[in-house]
Structures are given as structure tokens and as C-alpha cells.
Amino acid sequence: MTESAVLAAQIERWPIAGHFTISRGAKTEAVTVVAEIGRGGHVGRGECVPYPRYGETPEATLKAILSMQEAVGRGLDRRALQAMMQPSAARNALDCALLDLEAKTSGKRVWDLLGRPAPRACTTAYTISLGSPETMAAATAKVAHRPLLKIKLGAEGDGARIAAVREAAPRSELIVDANEGWTAANLEPNLAECARAGVTLVEQPLPAGEDEALARIMRPVAVCADESVHDRASLEGLRERYDAVNIKLDKAGGLTEALAMADAAHAHGFGIMIGCMVATSLAMAPAMLLAPEARFVDLDGPLLLKRDRDGGLRYDDSLIYPPEPALWG
């Protein structure tokens, strides 16, 4: 008789080094929820970040995870999970925990189980928080040796901000994330300023659902959907507005959907960016399987924390290495 699986979950709080500021506000800690599924002496783990932008809270996410205890005990698998839960942070934690458990039980790496390319060390973006041009330039100067910087914009005066950042990091590749902070009125001037600064990509300049203007203009910089894209079902309507999509496991509801979404995005002709919330290496590790598909990898969450969890991913400056089996997968 097969031993039943046991589900546990908890909320964790991880202090951020300094503060993390975007157009919607600032925070000083990352609040994550970790799911653990144990069976036969093995424990699979998955970490998620509830996102207030989508009405998620840590408490509700924890409750949603624990509501699956009976299903997990009956042998819930990833396919059934997709049908039982809508895409969410909670489903991400469970999906990743089930994958980790499968890998640990089989003694195989998760990419071999899924028939995906083994991830290799790759360059991650490093985020510069939103602030005054002077503050952002000073922060940029400290990390100007990094090859890829992600610049948070989305407020009045963004032209001055990106110009100051470019002066502070003349050799770095720059990508911008406006976090829905621009308007149809300032979209073209801001894109022009980004083009002038040599920005490669601009993420989600307009609010989701109010981004029609992107289809009516000449885009001098490639534009990437973030809040406007969630899973495969959301891709079709974006083709005239965006050049790329940012795939995040918390939005997609887990690695299972994220991998399928990456395949579908390629078929639709989108470039791919792999993104993250501010979280520990346990949340970044599954996303590493998407890195071979991506033009941009943005998995710097642990670099923004005061400390990562023990046994976390290896970061060599901006170079991020695949997870060891003890961490995940």
C-alpha cells in the first residue's frame, strides 16, 4: 500500500536589504508562503509570493494551500492540481512542491523528468529601485559592473531618471520596468527617452486593460507584457501590443503552466523574459528551467534580501547557477 502524502505550509518573512520601491509603493520585507509535501521519507518544497496587485494575501494563500490537504493525501498530482485550482501563488507553491517531491523520490533531476534542457549558469538582471534621479544614479554606480540592470520607473520625471542611470552605468545593458505607471499621454515621450538611453526593453508601461495605445504607436523600444499576461489563455490578445512576455511562476500558477506558456509564447512569436517576485532561492530555483527559453532572466530576488535561506542558489555577481538537489528539483 502506497504511503499517503502529508501537506504542511507556513508563512515566512525575509527582510529586504534597504528597501524595494516600485511605482505602487515600497516594502522592507518579502513575505512568502512555503508548501511542503512529505511522502516516504522525502519532502518536496515550493515557495510562492502572494501578490496584493491580484488581491492575494499571505493568510488567504496559506489557507488555499492547506485546503488541499485531503486531495494531497489521496495522491494529488500536477495534472489534477491544474484542474482543481485557478492560477495563483498558492497553486505555484503546490505545483513546485509536487515537482520537487517527484524528483527526490525518483532520484532524478526535475528537468530530466520533464524532458527539458538542463539549465546552465546564466546572467540575471539586477534591480534598481525607483527613486530620485540622484538616488538611482548613486545606486547604479555601485553596481555598474553588472552586465544587465533592471530599472524601476513609473513616476513623473522618468526621462531624467533613465538618463542619470545610463550616465552611471555606460556599459550595462538596461531594461526598464514601469509597473503600469505610465499613461497614454506620456507613453511616447518616455519610450523616446528610453531609446535615447539605449534601453533594450520596457516592461508593462501602461496599466493592464488600458494598454490599447501600444498597438497604435511605433515602438522604438521592445515592450514586454507583465501584469497584462498571466497564462497561455492571455497570450492571443497581446500580439499587436507587445513584443515579449514576462513569465512568472506566481502569475502562471506554477512551473507546469509556465513551461507550457513559454512554448506557446514562442509559437506566437513573443520574446520571453523570466521574472520573479522578491523571494528566496527556493522560489527562484524552479524558474531556472525556463532560462534556456528566455532572452532576459530576472531572478535576482535573493540578491535583494538581507540573507537568503541556507543552501540557496549560487550567485557569482550576476551569474546564477542551477539549484543543487537539496534545495529543489
Side-chain angles (χ1 to χ4, degrees):
M1 187 173 182
T2 304
E3 182 181 344
S4 296
V6 178
L7 171 65
Q10 64 274 341
I11 296 172
E12 298 181 349
R13 298 179 182 274
W14 299 87
I16 290 172
H19 64 276
F20 182 76
T21 303
I22 65 173
S23 62
R24 283 189 288 271
K27 60 181 181 179
T28 58
E29 66 176 2
V31 183
T32 71
V33 184
V34 175
E36 297 182 342
I37 301 176
R39 187 180 65 232
H42 299 284
V43 177
R45 300 185 300 166
E47 177 179 314
C48 70
V49 180
Y51 197 7
R53 170 69 176 76
Y54 304 124
E56 296 179 330
T57 66
E59 295 75 19
T61 298
L62 179 65
K63 183 177 179 180
I65 291 171
L66 293 176
S67 74
M68 301 297 287
Q69 281 179 318
E70 185 178 344
V72 168
R74 293 197 309 266
L76 177 74
D77 61 18
R78 289 183 296 115
R79 178 175 294 182
L81 175 65
Q82 312 307 305
M84 291 181 69
M85 296 184 80
Q86 292 296 310
S88 61
R91 195 179 81 179
N92 175 33
L94 286 166
D95 186 68
C96 292
L98 287 167
L99 276 165
D100 188 32
L101 179 62
E102 187 177 347
K104 287 180 167 59
T105 300
S106 68
K108 298 179 180 179
R109 296 312 308 261
V110 69
W111 43 86
D112 293 325
L113 290 173
L114 296 174
R116 309 295 294 204
R120 299 182 177 182
C122 59
T123 297
T124 179
Y126 183 85
T127 302
I128 303 296
S129 284
L130 180 66
S132 69
E134 297 77 17
T135 299
M136 293 180 72
T140 300
K142 295 176 182 177
V143 295
H145 64 284
R146 292 183 182 270
L148 179 62
L149 298 177
K150 178 173 175 175
I151 313 304
K152 290 290 187 178
L153 298 179
E156 189 68 31
D158 277 346
R161 291 185 179 91
I162 196 62
V165 165
R166 170 51 79 198
E167 185 175 357
R171 290 182 296 277
S172 300
E173 183 174 13
L174 301 183
I175 56 179
V176 157
D177 186 1
N179 284 111
E180 305 179 280
W182 294 353
T183 67
N186 66 24
L187 173 64
E188 290 184 275
N190 281 335
L191 286 176
E193 291 290 350
C194 287
R196 193 170 293 114
V199 170
T200 306
L201 186 80
V202 173
E203 223 183 311
Q204 198 66 43
L206 300 177
E210 302 175 25
D211 53 3
E212 302 88 353
L214 289 167
R216 300 194 299 265
I217 67 169
M218 292 292 292
R219 300 188 291 268
V221 180
V223 178
C224 178
D226 183 358
E227 286 84 356
S228 287
V229 67
H230 294 264
D231 55 10
R232 281 172 288 175
S234 60
L235 288 171
E236 180 62 34
L238 303 178
R239 298 176 74 174
E240 301 302 318
R241 304 176 188 181
Y242 293 96
D243 307 290
V245 293
N246 188 346
I247 300 176
K248 293 179 179 175
L249 270 60
D250 284 314
K251 287 191 303 175
L255 181 61
T256 299
E257 173 61 24
L259 289 168
M261 184 180 172
D263 294 339
H266 276 310
H268 281 293
F270 289 112
I272 293 178
M273 178 178 183
I274 306 307
C276 70
M277 307 296 286
V278 183
T280 80
S281 283
L282 182 57
M284 307 300 124
M288 286 291 293
L289 271 75
L290 290 155
E293 313 290 333
R295 166 65 174 86
F296 296 103
V297 175
D298 178 25
L299 298 177
D300 65 342
L303 298 178
L304 306 177
L305 301 175
K306 284 187 177 178
R307 67 175 184 87
D308 193 6
R309 66 175 67 247
D310 293 340
L313 292 171
R314 175 187 166 195
Y315 286 87
D316 184 2
D317 235 0
S318 289
L319 205 60
I320 176 176
Y321 290 81
E324 295 297 326
L327 173 65
W328 187 87

